[in-house]
Structures are given as structure tokens and as C-alpha cells.
Amino acid sequence: AGDPAMRLVVGTDDQGRVRARAVLHDAGDVVGVSNLTADPGLEAEAWRAVVGVAAGRHLVGWEREEDLASVTAVGGLLLGPLRVWLRPEG
């Protein structure tokens, strides 16, 4: 049950405690990454795990300014600002 294009990736420690997690959306040519969170100091490690799960495909995410260092530490490139377009009601 559920969307086969969606995948929850969870990283645990030796005691089975969740230390990092991310939601991946398989969009064919790219993998969308959302809701990536990790315990302090594990952010870059979490991104390396996501890169591994994506199997060489491009990743797309919408990280905030404070999260970009972890992404660039594993080779991510900032392409530009995110724009959200809203359709007027009616």
C-alpha cells in the first residue's frame, strides 16, 4: 500500500535509534528529496546516504540557507532560488 515512487530512508545508530531520515520521490530522471533531517553533526552523512540510494541520478531539493553547507559538502550545487507560483482562485 502506498505510492511506489515514494521512499522513506531512515538512518539508525547501533541501538536502533533513528538519527536521520528523508523522503525520496522517484521522478524518473531525478529524485526529489524532502524532509531530510538529521541529528546535529550527521547532516552531511545523511546526504551521502541519500546520494547512495539515488543510484547516480540527479537530486532535487529545496533546502534552506542553513542546510546548504551539508548539501555542498557532498557535491551538491546551488542552481538558484526557489520560486513558488500560485494560481489565483476563481
Side-chain angles (χ1 to χ4, degrees), residues 39-90:
D39 285 356
L42 297 177
E43 297 89 350
E45 186 175 337
W47 273 105
R48 278 190 288 280
V50 167
V51 168
V53 171
R57 290 184 288 160
H58 294 289
L59 299 172
V60 178
W62 297 270
E63 277 52 54
R64 293 184 214 137
E65 192 69 32
E66 61 269 17
D67 299 323
L68 293 176
S70 297
V71 179
T72 57
V74 298
L77 301 173
L78 177 62
L79 298 178
L82 172 66
R83 290 193 171 95
V84 178
W85 301 95
L86 298 177
R87 181 176 43 157
E89 291 187 39

Side-chain angles (χ1 to χ4, degrees), residues 3-28:
D3 186 343
M6 302 298 287
R7 180 185 230 178
L8 175 64
V9 177
V10 177
T12 60
D13 64 14
D14 293 340
Q15 284 75 43
R17 292 179 295 224
V18 174
R19 298 299 186 183
R21 72 236 16 104
V23 177
L24 305 184
H25 177 252
D26 185 340

